[in-house]
């Protein structure tokens, strides 16, 4: 099923890209109606700084190629925590230790406990 809403299309593309690049513990936090910064926040981990940087770069390229949108990326040089602002979807990519330290899931939990997105076979 393909979403017709631009925000949902972007969200699906983000999740597919992260799944293709073997992101770990991908979580989506719905923000629509709860925050004006975006409709979705996606948080995922990579096993190393190299994987985090690669996932971020590939995701930015895919969004540009498939949706014609440019994104803003912060944190790429060190790749411990990379923030990708794609407008309707904000993506945080972490090394596992850094993700544990900042615990964004708890900070952005609005009473809904987000569950990790199951890997699709």
């Amino acid at each position: 099923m393909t979403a017709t809403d631009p925000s949902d299309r972007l969200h699906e593309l983000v999740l597919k890209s992260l799944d293709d690049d073997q992101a770990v513990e991908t979580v989506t936090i719905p923000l629509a109606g709860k925050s004006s910064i975006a409709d979705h926040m996606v948080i995922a981990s990579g096993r190393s700084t190299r994987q985090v940087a690669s996932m971020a770069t590939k995701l930015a390229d895919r969004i540009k190629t498939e949706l014609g949108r440019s994104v803003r990326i912060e944190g790429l040089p060190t790749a411990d925590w990379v923030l990708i602002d794609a407008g309707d979807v904000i993506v945080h990519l972490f090394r596992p230790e850094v993700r544990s330290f900042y615990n964004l899931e708890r900070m952005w939990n609005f009473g809904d406990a987000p569950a990790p997105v199951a890997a699709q076979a």
Side-chain angles (χ1 to χ4, degrees), residues 82-94:
V82 177
L83 169 68
I84 302 164
D85 182 351
D88 297 329
V89 179
I90 305 294
V91 183
H92 296 273
L93 302 176
F94 290 99

Side-chain angles (χ1 to χ4, degrees), residues 49-50 52-53 56-57 73-83:
T49 55
R50 180 177 286 182
V52 169
T57 303
I73 301 178
E74 295 186 24
L76 201 52
T78 56
D80 285 330
W81 175 3
V82 177
L83 169 68

Side-chain angles (χ1 to χ4, degrees), residues 61-102:
D61 290 345
R62 287 174 179 149
I63 292 170
K64 178 75 171 170
T65 300
E66 294 185 31
L67 301 178
R69 289 183 170 192
S70 293
V71 300
R72 291 188 353 201
I73 301 178
E74 295 186 24
L76 201 52
T78 56
D80 285 330
W81 175 3
V82 177
L83 169 68
I84 302 164
D85 182 351
D88 297 329
V89 179
I90 305 294
V91 183
H92 296 273
L93 302 176
F94 290 99
R95 279 190 313 103
E97 310 81 48
V98 178
R99 182 176 180 173
S100 298
F101 180 79
Y102 287 102

Side-chain angles (χ1 to χ4, degrees), residues 34-49:
K34 298 174 184 175
S35 175
S36 61
I37 64 167
D39 291 339
H40 305 278
M41 180 181 295
V42 177
I43 303 170
S45 298
R47 292 174 184 82
S48 66
T49 55

